[in-house]
Each structure stands twice: as C-alpha cells, then as structure tokens.
Amino acid sequence: LLTHKEETLNEKIADFLEYCIVDACFNQKWRAVQEYDKAIEKEGSIVGILQRLQQENQIKLMEVMDDDDEEYTLEKSVMWSCVEGNLGRDSSGTFRRISQEDV
C-alpha cells in the first residue's frame, strides 16, 4: 500500500480536480458545441430546406412517383410548387431565392 504525505495527497487531489474533472467537463461541453454546430450547419441551407420539404410532402411525392421517368419530372414539379418563393443559403453562404435548378 502506497502512502503519501498529506500535502502531496492534497496536491494530487487538486491536480485531479483541475486536470481531470474540469478538463472532462470542458471537453464534453466543447463536443456539445461541435455537435450543435454540425446540426445547424444545414439549417437555412437550400439543401436542408429541400430535405425538410421532401419529408413533409412524402405523400404528395409518392402519389406522383413514376419509376420510368428518369428525370423525375412530376416529383420535381411537386417539389417546386412546395418551395417556390422560399429563400435559402447556398453553398457559398449567400441567401438567395431557391431556383428550379436547385430542385
């Protein structure tokens, strides 16, 4: 069994609290910040808006789905009717109207 002088033990406890507990808390908070940043990265983006609208309008899209149409003409038409006039952030970060080409 190892024994420590009282002051050495107090130093080790202080080091443990400073370097293990505090660092662990900071690292967990930092990871949470990074995860939040990653989650909102698509928020407001054209891609994010299109994905959300696609999920919200799944029933409409399934009704017009045509496996033989390789251009997805009807699906794009439905999506365009859902998104027309909306603004979104493009890949450069600029806000602009969503165009039919984006769909």
Side-chain angles (χ1 to χ4, degrees), residues 32-45 48 89:
V33 167
Q34 289 174 320
E35 289 300 317
Y36 181 77
D37 184 50
K38 194 181 297 183
I40 65 168
E41 190 173 84
K42 288 186 179 179
E43 192 68 31
S45 71
R89 190 170 26 87

Side-chain angles (χ1 to χ4, degrees), residues 5 8 27 32 34 38-40 43 57 62 69 79 101:
K5 294 181 181 178
T8 305
N27 289 339
Q34 289 174 320
K38 194 181 297 183
I40 65 168
E43 192 68 31
N57 294 284
M62 287 177 60
D69 181 10
M79 279 299 293
E101 290 76 32

Side-chain angles (χ1 to χ4, degrees), residues 18-70:
E18 176 68 24
Y19 298 111
C20 294
I21 304 291
V22 173
D23 283 352
C25 291
F26 173 78
N27 289 339
Q28 289 301 322
K29 287 178 184 176
W30 184 249
R31 278 200 250 330
V33 167
Q34 289 174 320
E35 289 300 317
Y36 181 77
D37 184 50
K38 194 181 297 183
I40 65 168
E41 190 173 84
K42 288 186 179 179
E43 192 68 31
S45 71
I46 292 172
V47 171
I49 291 168
L50 291 174
Q51 288 173 343
R52 180 179 49 81
L53 287 172
Q54 190 174 26
Q55 289 174 344
E56 290 173 0
N57 294 284
Q58 280 182 340
I59 293 173
K60 286 183 188 176
L61 291 167
M62 287 177 60
E63 289 172 355
V64 298
M65 192 179 330
D66 181 3
D67 291 335
D68 295 328
D69 181 10
E70 293 181 14

Side-chain angles (χ1 to χ4, degrees), residues 13 15 30 32 46 51 58 63-64 67 71 74-75 81 84 86 88 92 102:
I13 290 171
D15 284 349
W30 184 249
I46 292 172
Q51 288 173 343
Q58 280 182 340
E63 289 172 355
V64 298
D67 291 335
E71 298 295 318
L74 293 174
E75 291 96 331
S81 69
E84 187 175 12
N86 283 316
S92 72
D102 294 320

